[in-house]
Coordinates of all heavy atoms in Angstrom, one line a residue:
M1 N 0.8 -1.2 0.0 CA 0.0 0.0 0.0 C 0.9 1.3 0.0 O 0.5 2.2 -0.6 CB -0.9 0.0 1.2 CG -2.0 0.9 1.2 SD -3.2 0.4 -0.1 CE -4.3 1.6 0.0
L2 N 2.0 1.3 0.7 CA 2.8 2.4 0.8 C 3.4 2.9 -0.5 O 3.3 4.1 -0.8 CB 4.0 2.2 1.8 CG 4.9 3.4 2.1 CD1 4.1 4.5 2.7 CD2 6.0 3.0 3.0
P3 N 3.8 1.9 -1.4 CA 4.3 2.4 -2.7 C 3.2 3.1 -3.5 O 3.5 4.1 -4.2 CB 4.8 1.1 -3.4 CG 5.1 0.2 -2.3 CD 4.1 0.5 -1.2
L4 N 2.0 2.6 -3.4 CA 0.9 3.3 -4.2 C 0.6 4.7 -3.6 O 0.4 5.6 -4.4 CB -0.4 2.4 -4.1 CG -0.4 1.1 -4.8 CD1 -1.6 0.3 -4.5 CD2 -0.2 1.3 -6.3
R5 N 0.7 4.8 -2.3 CA 0.5 6.1 -1.7 C 1.6 7.1 -2.1 O 1.3 8.2 -2.4 CB 0.4 5.9 -0.2 CG 0.2 7.3 0.5 CD 0.0 7.0 2.0 NE -0.4 8.3 2.6 CZ 0.5 9.0 3.4 NH1 1.7 8.5 3.7 NH2 0.1 10.1 3.9
Q6 N 2.8 6.6 -2.1 CA 3.9 7.4 -2.4 C 3.8 7.9 -3.9 O 4.1 9.0 -4.2 CB 5.2 6.7 -2.1 CG 5.5 6.6 -0.7 CD 6.7 5.7 -0.4 OE1 7.1 4.8 -1.1 NE2 7.4 6.0 0.7
A7 N 3.4 6.9 -4.7 CA 3.3 7.3 -6.2 C 2.2 8.3 -6.4 O 2.4 9.3 -7.2 CB 3.0 6.0 -7.0
A8 N 1.1 8.1 -5.7 CA 0.0 9.1 -5.8 C 0.4 10.5 -5.3 O 0.1 11.5 -5.9 CB -1.3 8.6 -5.1
Q9 N 1.1 10.5 -4.2 CA 1.6 11.7 -3.6 C 2.6 12.4 -4.6 O 2.5 13.6 -4.8 CB 2.3 11.5 -2.3 CG 2.9 12.7 -1.6 CD 3.6 12.4 -0.3 OE1 4.2 11.3 -0.2 NE2 3.5 13.3 0.7
R10 N 3.5 11.7 -5.2 CA 4.4 12.2 -6.2 C 3.7 12.8 -7.4 O 4.0 13.9 -7.9 CB 5.4 11.2 -6.6 CG 6.5 11.6 -7.6 CD 7.5 12.5 -6.8 NE 7.3 13.9 -7.2 CZ 7.6 14.9 -6.4 NH1 8.1 14.8 -5.3 NH2 7.4 16.1 -6.9
Q11 N 2.7 12.1 -7.9 CA 1.9 12.6 -9.0 C 1.1 13.9 -8.7 O 1.1 14.8 -9.5 CB 0.9 11.5 -9.5 CG 1.6 10.4 -10.2 CD 0.6 9.3 -10.6 OE1 -0.5 9.2 -10.0 NE2 1.0 8.4 -11.5
A12 N 0.6 13.9 -7.5 CA -0.1 15.1 -7.0 C 0.8 16.3 -6.9 O 0.5 17.4 -7.3 CB -0.9 14.9 -5.7
A13 N 2.0 16.0 -6.3 CA 3.0 17.1 -6.2 C 3.5 17.6 -7.5 O 3.6 18.8 -7.8 CB 4.2 16.6 -5.3
D14 N 3.7 16.7 -8.5 CA 4.1 17.1 -9.8 C 3.0 17.9 -10.5 O 3.3 18.9 -11.2 CB 4.4 15.8 -10.7 CG 5.7 15.1 -10.2 OD1 6.5 15.7 -9.5 OD2 5.9 13.9 -10.7
A15 N 1.8 17.5 -10.3 CA 0.7 18.2 -10.9 C 0.6 19.6 -10.4 O 0.3 20.6 -11.1 CB -0.7 17.5 -10.7
A16 N 0.7 19.8 -9.1 CA 0.7 21.1 -8.4 C 1.8 21.9 -8.9 O 1.6 23.1 -9.2 CB 0.7 20.9 -6.9
E17 N 3.0 21.4 -9.0 CA 4.1 22.1 -9.5 C 3.9 22.6 -11.0 O 4.1 23.8 -11.3 CB 5.4 21.2 -9.5 CG 6.6 21.9 -10.0 CD 7.9 21.0 -10.0 OE1 7.8 19.9 -9.4 OE2 8.9 21.4 -10.5
R18 N 3.4 21.7 -11.8 CA 3.1 22.1 -13.2 C 2.1 23.1 -13.3 O 2.2 24.1 -14.0 CB 2.7 20.8 -14.0 CG 2.4 21.1 -15.4 CD 3.6 21.3 -16.2 NE 3.3 21.4 -17.6 CZ 3.7 22.5 -18.4 NH1 4.5 23.4 -17.9 NH2 3.3 22.6 -19.6
M19 N 1.0 23.0 -12.5 CA -0.1 24.0 -12.5 C 0.4 25.3 -12.1 O 0.1 26.4 -12.7 CB -1.2 23.5 -11.6 CG -2.4 24.4 -11.7 SD -3.8 24.0 -10.5 CE -3.8 22.2 -10.6
A20 N 1.2 25.4 -11.0 CA 1.8 26.6 -10.5 C 2.7 27.3 -11.6 O 2.6 28.5 -11.8 CB 2.6 26.4 -9.3
E21 N 3.5 26.5 -12.3 CA 4.4 27.0 -13.3 C 3.5 27.6 -14.5 O 3.9 28.7 -15.0 CB 5.3 25.9 -13.9 CG 6.4 25.6 -13.0 CD 7.5 26.6 -12.9 OE1 7.4 27.7 -13.5 OE2 8.5 26.4 -12.2
L22 N 2.4 27.0 -14.8 CA 1.5 27.5 -15.9 C 0.9 28.8 -15.4 O 0.6 29.7 -16.3 CB 0.5 26.5 -16.3 CG 1.0 25.2 -17.0 CD1 -0.1 24.2 -17.1 CD2 1.6 25.6 -18.3
M23 N 0.5 28.9 -14.2 CA -0.2 30.1 -13.6 C 0.8 31.3 -13.3 O 0.4 32.4 -13.3 CB -0.9 29.8 -12.3 CG -2.0 28.9 -12.5 SD -2.6 28.6 -10.8 CE -4.0 27.5 -11.2
R24 N 2.1 30.9 -13.2 CA 3.1 31.9 -12.7 C 3.1 33.2 -13.4 O 3.1 34.3 -12.8 CB 4.4 31.2 -12.7 CG 5.5 31.9 -12.0 CD 6.8 31.1 -12.1 NE 7.8 31.6 -11.2 CZ 8.9 31.0 -11.0 NH1 9.2 29.8 -11.5 NH2 9.8 31.6 -10.2
A25 N 3.1 33.2 -14.7 CA 3.2 34.4 -15.5 C 1.9 35.2 -15.5 O 2.0 36.5 -15.3 CB 3.5 34.1 -17.0
D26 N 0.8 34.6 -15.6 CA -0.5 35.3 -15.7 C -1.2 35.6 -14.4 O -1.9 36.6 -14.2 CB -1.5 34.6 -16.6 CG -1.0 34.5 -18.0 OD1 -0.3 35.4 -18.5 OD2 -1.3 33.4 -18.7
D27 N -1.0 34.7 -13.4 CA -1.7 34.8 -12.1 C -0.8 34.3 -11.0 O -1.1 33.3 -10.4 CB -3.0 34.1 -12.1 CG -3.9 34.5 -11.0 OD1 -3.5 35.2 -10.1 OD2 -5.1 34.1 -11.0
P28 N 0.3 35.0 -10.7 CA 1.3 34.5 -9.7 C 0.7 34.4 -8.3 O 1.1 33.5 -7.6 CB 2.4 35.5 -9.7 CG 1.9 36.7 -10.4 CD 0.7 36.3 -11.3
G29 N -0.3 35.2 -8.0 CA -0.9 35.0 -6.7 C -1.6 33.7 -6.5 O -1.6 33.0 -5.5
R30 N -2.3 33.3 -7.6 CA -2.9 32.0 -7.6 C -1.9 30.8 -7.6 O -2.1 29.8 -7.0 CB -3.8 31.9 -8.8 CG -4.8 30.7 -8.8 CD -6.1 31.0 -9.4 NE -6.9 29.8 -9.3 CZ -7.7 29.4 -10.2 NH1 -7.7 30.0 -11.4 NH2 -8.4 28.3 -10.0
A31 N -0.8 31.1 -8.3 CA 0.3 30.1 -8.2 C 0.8 29.9 -6.8 O 1.0 28.7 -6.3 CB 1.5 30.5 -9.1
V32 N 0.9 31.0 -6.0 CA 1.3 30.9 -4.6 C 0.2 30.1 -3.9 O 0.6 29.2 -3.0 CB 1.4 32.3 -4.0 CG1 1.5 32.2 -2.5 CG2 2.7 33.0 -4.6
D33 N -1.0 30.3 -4.1 CA -2.1 29.5 -3.4 C -2.0 28.0 -3.7 O -2.1 27.2 -2.8 CB -3.5 30.0 -3.9 CG -3.8 31.4 -3.4 OD1 -3.1 31.9 -2.5 OD2 -4.7 32.1 -4.0
V34 N -1.7 27.7 -5.0 CA -1.6 26.3 -5.3 C -0.4 25.7 -4.6 O -0.4 24.6 -4.1 CB -1.4 26.1 -6.9 CG1 -0.9 24.7 -7.2 CG2 -2.7 26.4 -7.6
L35 N 0.7 26.4 -4.6 CA 1.9 25.9 -4.0 C 1.8 25.8 -2.4 O 2.3 24.8 -1.8 CB 3.1 26.7 -4.3 CG 3.5 26.6 -5.8 CD1 4.4 27.8 -6.2 CD2 4.2 25.3 -6.1
R36 N 1.1 26.7 -1.8 CA 0.9 26.7 -0.4 C 0.1 25.4 -0.1 O 0.3 24.7 0.9 CB 0.2 27.9 0.1 CG 1.1 28.8 0.8 CD 0.4 29.9 1.6 NE 0.6 31.1 1.0 CZ -0.4 32.0 0.8 NH1 -1.6 31.8 1.2 NH2 -0.1 33.1 0.1
L37 N -1.0 25.2 -0.8 CA -1.8 24.0 -0.7 C -1.0 22.8 -0.8 O -1.1 21.8 0.0 CB -3.0 24.1 -1.6 CG -4.0 22.9 -1.5 CD1 -4.7 23.0 -0.2 CD2 -5.0 23.0 -2.6
A38 N -0.1 22.8 -1.8 CA 0.7 21.6 -2.1 C 1.6 21.3 -0.9 O 1.8 20.1 -0.5 CB 1.5 21.8 -3.4
V39 N 2.3 22.3 -0.3 CA 3.2 22.0 0.8 C 2.5 21.7 2.1 O 3.0 21.1 3.0 CB 4.3 23.1 1.0 CG1 5.2 23.2 -0.3 CG2 3.6 24.5 1.3
E40 N 1.2 22.2 2.2 CA 0.5 21.9 3.4 C -0.2 20.5 3.3 O -0.3 19.9 4.4 CB -0.6 23.0 3.6 CG 0.0 24.3 4.0 CD -1.0 25.5 4.0 OE1 -2.2 25.2 3.8 OE2 -0.6 26.6 4.2
C41 N -0.7 20.2 2.2 CA -1.6 19.0 2.1 C -1.0 17.8 1.3 O -1.5 16.7 1.4 CB -2.9 19.4 1.5 SG -3.8 20.6 2.4
I42 N -0.1 18.1 0.4 CA 0.4 17.0 -0.5 C 1.8 16.5 0.0 O 1.9 15.3 0.3 CB 0.5 17.4 -2.0 CG1 -0.9 17.8 -2.5 CG2 1.1 16.3 -2.8 CD1 -1.0 18.4 -3.8
D43 N 2.8 17.4 0.0 CA 4.1 16.9 0.4 C 4.9 18.1 1.1 O 5.5 18.9 0.5 CB 4.9 16.5 -0.9 CG 6.2 15.8 -0.5 OD1 6.6 15.8 0.6 OD2 6.9 15.3 -1.5
P44 N 4.8 18.1 2.4 CA 5.4 19.2 3.2 C 6.9 19.1 3.2 O 7.6 20.0 3.6 CB 4.9 19.0 4.6 CG 4.5 17.5 4.7 CD 4.1 17.1 3.3
Y45 N 7.5 18.0 2.6 CA 9.0 17.8 2.6 C 9.6 18.0 1.3 O 10.8 17.9 1.1 CB 9.3 16.4 3.1 CG 8.6 16.1 4.4 CD1 7.6 15.1 4.5 CD2 8.9 16.8 5.6 CE1 7.0 14.9 5.7 CE2 8.3 16.5 6.8 CZ 7.3 15.5 6.8 OH 6.7 15.3 8.0
S46 N 8.8 18.4 0.3 CA 9.3 18.6 -1.1 C 10.0 19.9 -1.2 O 9.3 21.0 -1.3 CB 8.2 18.5 -2.1 OG 8.6 18.9 -3.4
E47 N 11.3 19.9 -1.3 CA 12.0 21.2 -1.4 C 11.7 21.8 -2.8 O 11.7 23.0 -2.9 CB 13.5 20.9 -1.3 CG 13.9 20.8 0.2 CD 15.4 20.9 0.4 OE1 16.2 20.3 -0.3 OE2 15.8 21.7 1.3
T48 N 11.4 21.0 -3.8 CA 11.1 21.6 -5.1 C 9.9 22.5 -5.0 O 9.9 23.6 -5.5 CB 10.8 20.4 -6.1 OG1 12.0 19.6 -6.2 CG2 10.5 21.0 -7.5
L49 N 8.9 22.0 -4.3 CA 7.7 22.8 -4.1 C 8.0 24.1 -3.3 O 7.5 25.2 -3.6 CB 6.5 22.0 -3.4 CG 5.9 20.9 -4.2 CD1 5.0 20.1 -3.4 CD2 5.2 21.4 -5.5
W50 N 8.8 23.9 -2.2 CA 9.2 25.1 -1.4 C 10.0 26.1 -2.2 O 9.8 27.3 -2.1 CB 9.9 24.6 -0.2 CG 9.0 24.0 0.9 CD1 8.9 22.7 1.1 CD2 8.1 24.7 1.8 NE1 8.0 22.5 2.2 CE2 7.5 23.7 2.6 CE3 7.8 26.0 2.0 CZ2 6.6 24.0 3.6 CZ3 6.9 26.3 3.0 CH2 6.3 25.3 3.8
F51 N 10.9 25.6 -3.1 CA 11.8 26.5 -3.9 C 10.9 27.3 -4.8 O 11.0 28.5 -4.9 CB 12.7 25.7 -4.9 CG 13.7 24.8 -4.3 CD1 14.2 23.8 -5.1 CD2 14.2 25.0 -3.0 CE1 15.2 23.0 -4.6 CE2 15.1 24.1 -2.5 CZ 15.7 23.1 -3.3
L52 N 9.9 26.7 -5.4 CA 9.0 27.4 -6.3 C 8.2 28.4 -5.6 O 8.0 29.5 -6.0 CB 8.2 26.3 -7.1 CG 7.3 26.9 -8.2 CD1 8.1 27.7 -9.2 CD2 6.6 25.7 -8.9
L53 N 7.6 27.9 -4.4 CA 6.8 28.9 -3.6 C 7.6 30.1 -3.2 O 7.2 31.2 -3.4 CB 6.3 28.1 -2.3 CG 5.6 29.0 -1.3 CD1 4.3 29.6 -2.0 CD2 5.2 28.2 -0.1
M54 N 8.8 29.9 -2.7 CA 9.7 31.1 -2.3 C 10.0 31.9 -3.5 O 10.0 33.2 -3.4 CB 10.9 30.6 -1.6 CG 10.7 30.1 -0.2 SD 12.2 29.7 0.7 CE 12.8 28.3 -0.2
S55 N 10.2 31.3 -4.7 CA 10.6 32.1 -5.9 C 9.4 33.0 -6.3 O 9.6 34.2 -6.6 CB 11.0 31.2 -7.0 OG 12.2 30.5 -6.7
V56 N 8.2 32.4 -6.3 CA 7.1 33.2 -6.8 C 6.8 34.3 -5.7 O 6.5 35.4 -6.1 CB 5.8 32.3 -7.0 CG1 4.6 33.2 -7.4 CG2 6.1 31.3 -8.1
Q57 N 6.8 34.0 -4.5 CA 6.7 35.0 -3.4 C 7.7 36.1 -3.6 O 7.3 37.3 -3.5 CB 6.8 34.3 -2.0 CG 5.6 33.4 -1.7 CD 5.9 32.7 -0.4 OE1 7.0 32.3 -0.1 NE2 4.8 32.4 0.4
G58 N 8.9 35.7 -3.8 CA 10.0 36.8 -4.0 C 9.7 37.6 -5.2 O 9.9 38.8 -5.1
E59 N 9.3 37.0 -6.3 CA 9.0 37.8 -7.5 C 7.9 38.8 -7.3 O 7.8 39.8 -7.9 CB 8.7 36.8 -8.7 CG 9.9 36.0 -9.1 CD 9.5 34.8 -10.0 OE1 8.3 34.6 -10.3 OE2 10.5 34.0 -10.3
L60 N 7.0 38.4 -6.4 CA 5.9 39.3 -6.1 C 6.3 40.4 -5.0 O 5.4 41.2 -4.7 CB 4.7 38.5 -5.6 CG 3.9 37.6 -6.6 CD1 3.0 36.7 -5.9 CD2 3.2 38.5 -7.6
G61 N 7.5 40.3 -4.5 CA 7.9 41.2 -3.5 C 7.4 40.9 -2.1 O 7.5 41.8 -1.3
R62 N 7.0 39.7 -1.9 CA 6.5 39.3 -0.6 C 7.6 38.7 0.2 O 7.6 37.5 0.5 CB 5.4 38.3 -0.8 CG 4.2 38.8 -1.6 CD 3.1 37.8 -1.7 NE 2.0 38.2 -2.5 CZ 1.0 37.5 -2.9 NH1 1.0 36.2 -2.6 NH2 0.0 38.0 -3.6
L63 N 8.5 39.6 0.6 CA 9.7 39.1 1.3 C 9.4 38.5 2.7 O 10.0 37.5 3.0 CB 10.8 40.2 1.4 CG 11.2 40.8 0.0 CD1 12.3 41.8 0.2 CD2 11.6 39.7 -1.0
P64 N 8.5 39.1 3.4 CA 8.1 38.4 4.7 C 7.6 37.0 4.5 O 7.9 36.1 5.2 CB 7.1 39.3 5.3 CG 7.4 40.7 4.8 CD 7.8 40.4 3.3
A65 N 6.9 36.8 3.4 CA 6.4 35.5 3.1 C 7.5 34.5 2.7 O 7.4 33.3 3.0 CB 5.3 35.6 1.9
V66 N 8.5 35.0 2.0 CA 9.7 34.2 1.7 C 10.3 33.7 3.0 O 10.7 32.6 3.1 CB 10.7 34.9 0.8 CG1 11.9 34.1 0.6 CG2 10.0 35.3 -0.6
R67 N 10.5 34.7 3.9 CA 11.1 34.3 5.2 C 10.3 33.3 5.9 O 10.9 32.3 6.4 CB 11.3 35.6 6.1 CG 12.3 36.5 5.7 CD 12.5 37.6 6.7 NE 13.4 38.6 6.2 CZ 13.0 39.7 5.5 NH1 11.7 40.0 5.4 NH2 13.8 40.6 5.1
R68 N 9.0 33.5 6.0 CA 8.1 32.5 6.7 C 8.2 31.2 6.0 O 8.2 30.1 6.6 CB 6.7 33.1 6.7 CG 5.8 32.2 7.4 CD 6.1 32.1 8.9 NE 5.1 31.2 9.5 CZ 5.5 30.3 10.4 NH1 6.7 30.2 10.9 NH2 4.6 29.5 11.0
S69 N 8.2 31.1 4.7 CA 8.2 29.9 3.9 C 9.5 29.1 4.2 O 9.5 27.9 4.5 CB 8.1 30.1 2.4 OG 6.8 30.5 2.1
F70 N 10.6 29.8 4.3 CA 11.9 29.2 4.6 C 11.9 28.6 6.0 O 12.3 27.5 6.3 CB 13.1 30.1 4.4 CG 14.4 29.4 4.5 CD1 14.9 28.6 3.5 CD2 15.1 29.6 5.7 CE1 16.1 28.0 3.7 CE2 16.3 29.0 5.8 CZ 16.8 28.1 4.8
E71 N 11.3 29.4 6.9 CA 11.2 28.9 8.3 C 10.3 27.6 8.4 O 10.6 26.7 9.1 CB 10.6 30.0 9.3 CG 11.6 31.1 9.5 CD 12.9 30.5 10.1 OE1 12.9 29.7 11.0 OE2 14.0 31.0 9.7
L72 N 9.2 27.7 7.7 CA 8.3 26.5 7.7 C 9.0 25.3 7.0 O 8.8 24.2 7.5 CB 7.0 26.8 6.9 CG 6.0 27.7 7.6 CD1 4.9 28.1 6.7 CD2 5.5 27.0 8.8
L73 N 9.8 25.5 6.0 CA 10.5 24.4 5.4 C 11.5 23.8 6.4 O 11.5 22.6 6.6 CB 11.3 24.9 4.2 CG 12.3 24.0 3.6 CD1 11.7 22.7 3.1 CD2 13.1 24.6 2.4
R74 N 12.2 24.7 7.1 CA 13.1 24.2 8.2 C 12.4 23.4 9.2 O 12.8 22.3 9.6 CB 13.9 25.3 8.8 CG 15.0 25.8 8.0 CD 16.1 26.5 8.8 NE 15.6 27.6 9.6 CZ 16.4 28.6 10.0 NH1 17.6 28.6 9.7 NH2 15.9 29.5 10.7
E75 N 11.2 23.9 9.6 CA 10.4 23.2 10.6 C 10.0 21.8 10.1 O 10.0 20.8 10.9 CB 9.2 24.0 11.0 CG 9.5 25.2 11.8 CD 8.3 26.1 12.1 OE1 7.1 25.6 11.9 OE2 8.5 27.3 12.4
R76 N 9.5 21.7 8.9 CA 9.1 20.5 8.3 C 10.3 19.5 8.2 O 10.1 18.3 8.5 CB 8.5 20.6 6.9 CG 7.3 21.5 6.9 CD 6.1 20.9 7.7 NE 5.0 21.8 7.7 CZ 4.8 22.7 8.7 NH1 5.6 22.9 9.7 NH2 3.7 23.5 8.7
L77 N 11.4 20.0 7.8 CA 12.6 19.1 7.6 C 13.1 18.6 8.9 O 13.6 17.4 9.0 CB 13.7 19.8 6.8 CG 13.3 20.0 5.3 CD1 14.4 20.8 4.6 CD2 12.9 18.8 4.6
V78 N 13.0 19.3 10.0 CA 13.4 18.9 11.3 C 12.6 17.6 11.7 O 13.1 16.7 12.3 CB 13.2 20.0 12.4 CG1 13.2 19.4 13.8 CG2 14.3 21.0 12.2
E79 N 11.3 17.6 11.2 CA 10.5 16.4 11.5 C 11.1 15.1 11.0 O 10.8 14.0 11.5 CB 9.1 16.6 11.0 CG 8.3 17.8 11.6 CD 7.0 18.1 10.8 OE1 6.7 17.4 9.8 OE2 6.4 19.1 11.2
I80 N 11.9 15.2 9.9 CA 12.5 14.0 9.4 C 14.0 14.0 9.5 O 14.7 13.4 8.7 CB 12.1 13.9 7.9 CG1 12.5 15.1 7.0 CG2 10.6 13.6 7.8 CD1 12.3 14.9 5.5
D81 N 14.5 14.8 10.5 CA 15.9 14.9 10.8 C 16.7 15.3 9.6 O 17.8 14.8 9.3 CB 16.4 13.5 11.4 CG 15.8 13.2 12.7 OD1 15.6 14.1 13.5 OD2 15.5 12.0 12.9
A82 N 16.2 16.4 8.9 CA 16.9 16.9 7.8 C 17.0 18.4 7.9 O 16.4 19.0 8.8 CB 16.2 16.5 6.5
V83 N 17.8 19.0 7.1 CA 18.0 20.5 7.1 C 17.8 20.9 5.6 O 18.0 20.1 4.7 CB 19.4 20.9 7.6 CG1 19.5 20.6 9.1 CG2 20.5 20.3 6.8
P84 N 17.5 22.2 5.4 CA 17.4 22.7 4.0 C 18.7 22.5 3.3 O 19.8 22.7 3.8 CB 17.0 24.2 4.2 CG 16.4 24.3 5.6 CD 17.1 23.2 6.4
S85 N 18.6 22.2 2.0 CA 19.7 22.0 1.2 C 20.4 23.3 0.8 O 19.7 24.4 1.0 CB 19.3 21.3 -0.2 OG 18.5 22.2 -0.9
P86 N 21.6 23.3 0.4 CA 22.2 24.5 -0.1 C 21.4 25.3 -1.1 O 21.4 26.5 -1.1 CB 23.6 24.1 -0.6 CG 23.9 22.8 0.1 CD 22.5 22.2 0.3
L87 N 20.7 24.5 -2.0 CA 19.9 25.2 -3.0 C 18.7 25.9 -2.4 O 18.4 27.0 -2.8 CB 19.4 24.1 -4.0 CG 18.6 24.7 -5.2 CD1 19.4 25.8 -5.9 CD2 18.2 23.6 -6.1
A88 N 18.1 25.3 -1.3 CA 17.0 26.0 -0.6 C 17.5 27.3 0.0 O 16.9 28.3 -0.1 CB 16.5 25.1 0.5
R89 N 18.7 27.3 0.6 CA 19.3 28.5 1.2 C 19.5 29.5 0.1 O 19.3 30.7 0.3 CB 20.6 28.2 1.9 CG 20.3 27.5 3.2 CD 21.6 27.6 4.1 NE 21.3 27.0 5.4 CZ 20.6 27.7 6.3 NH1 20.2 28.9 6.1 NH2 20.4 27.1 7.5
Q90 N 20.0 29.1 -1.1 CA 20.3 30.0 -2.2 C 19.1 30.7 -2.7 O 19.1 31.9 -2.9 CB 21.0 29.2 -3.3 CG 21.5 30.0 -4.4 CD 22.2 29.1 -5.5 OE1 21.8 28.0 -5.7 NE2 23.3 29.6 -6.0
V91 N 18.0 29.9 -2.8 CA 16.7 30.5 -3.3 C 16.2 31.5 -2.2 O 15.9 32.7 -2.6 CB 15.6 29.4 -3.5 CG1 14.2 30.0 -3.7 CG2 16.0 28.5 -4.6
Y92 N 16.3 31.2 -1.0 CA 15.9 32.1 0.1 C 16.8 33.3 0.1 O 16.2 34.5 0.1 CB 16.1 31.3 1.4 CG 16.0 32.2 2.7 CD1 14.8 32.7 3.1 CD2 17.1 32.5 3.4 CE1 14.7 33.5 4.2 CE2 17.0 33.3 4.6 CZ 15.8 33.8 4.9 OH 15.7 34.6 6.1
E93 N 18.1 33.2 0.0 CA 19.0 34.3 0.1 C 18.9 35.2 -1.1 O 19.2 36.4 -1.0 CB 20.4 33.8 0.3 CG 20.6 33.3 1.7 CD 21.9 32.6 1.9 OE1 22.7 32.5 1.0 OE2 22.2 32.2 3.1
R94 N 18.5 34.7 -2.2 CA 18.3 35.5 -3.5 C 17.3 36.6 -3.2 O 17.5 37.7 -3.8 CB 17.9 34.6 -4.6 CG 17.7 35.4 -5.9 CD 17.4 34.5 -7.1 NE 16.1 34.0 -7.0 CZ 15.6 32.8 -7.5 NH1 16.5 32.1 -8.2 NH2 14.4 32.5 -7.4
F95 N 16.3 36.4 -2.4 CA 15.3 37.4 -2.2 C 15.5 38.1 -0.8 O 15.1 39.3 -0.7 CB 13.9 36.7 -2.2 CG 13.6 36.2 -3.6 CD1 13.6 34.8 -3.8 CD2 13.3 37.1 -4.6 CE1 13.3 34.3 -5.1 CE2 13.0 36.6 -5.9 CZ 13.0 35.2 -6.1
V96 N 16.0 37.5 0.1 CA 16.0 38.1 1.5 C 17.3 38.8 1.8 O 17.3 39.7 2.6 CB 15.6 37.0 2.5 CG1 15.7 37.6 3.9 CG2 14.2 36.5 2.2
C97 N 18.4 38.3 1.4 CA 19.7 38.9 1.7 C 20.2 39.9 0.7 O 19.8 40.0 -0.3 CB 20.8 37.8 1.9 SG 20.4 36.7 3.3

């Protein structure tokens, strides 16, 4: 059962990522909504989703949201004894530092 669940989770995360990418140019606010939902309900440990969320937030000038997203990513990764990757820090620092 676990492999089926993981496959469905990966497909849902991929679909959310693709949908957000398609919305990004025309409706970035909606892309943020899709990505927030994805990290809250589909895969809270997907750095790819978090990278994209922070990038769109940063492009919109929502720097406090970028900070909060990075903090939430760190909190989620602590749950699985992990830390944000260097790439996650790079995305964060591109907008905040």
Side-chain angles (χ1 to χ4, degrees):
M1 195 68 180
L2 184 60
L4 292 174
R5 181 173 185 254
Q6 289 172 331
Q9 181 183 33
R10 182 75 254 149
Q11 288 176 341
D14 289 346
E17 181 182 348
R18 179 74 177 128
M19 187 182 319
E21 284 289 1
L22 291 171
M23 292 176 179
R24 190 175 189 171
D26 296 328
D27 195 351
R30 192 147 183 222
V32 167
D33 294 340
V34 167
L35 291 163
R36 259 198 250 135
L37 182 64
V39 297
E40 290 172 6
C41 300
I42 297 171
D43 190 353
Y45 310 111
S46 170
E47 283 195 311
T48 301
L49 293 172
W50 286 102
F51 298 160
L52 188 54
L53 175 59
M54 289 187 290
S55 293
V56 177
Q57 290 170 327
E59 290 164 5
L60 289 170
R62 298 178 183 174
L63 303 185
V66 174
R67 284 186 192 94
R68 181 69 182 137
S69 291
F70 187 75
E71 288 302 316
L72 287 172
L73 170 61
R74 281 205 303 204
E75 290 172 16
R76 296 301 173 267
L77 292 179
V78 164
E79 295 170 2
I80 59 171
D81 295 322
V83 295
S85 69
L87 184 55
R89 287 195 174 282
Q90 187 177 36
V91 170
Y92 168 73
E93 290 172 356
R94 181 174 73 205
F95 295 105
V96 177
C97 294

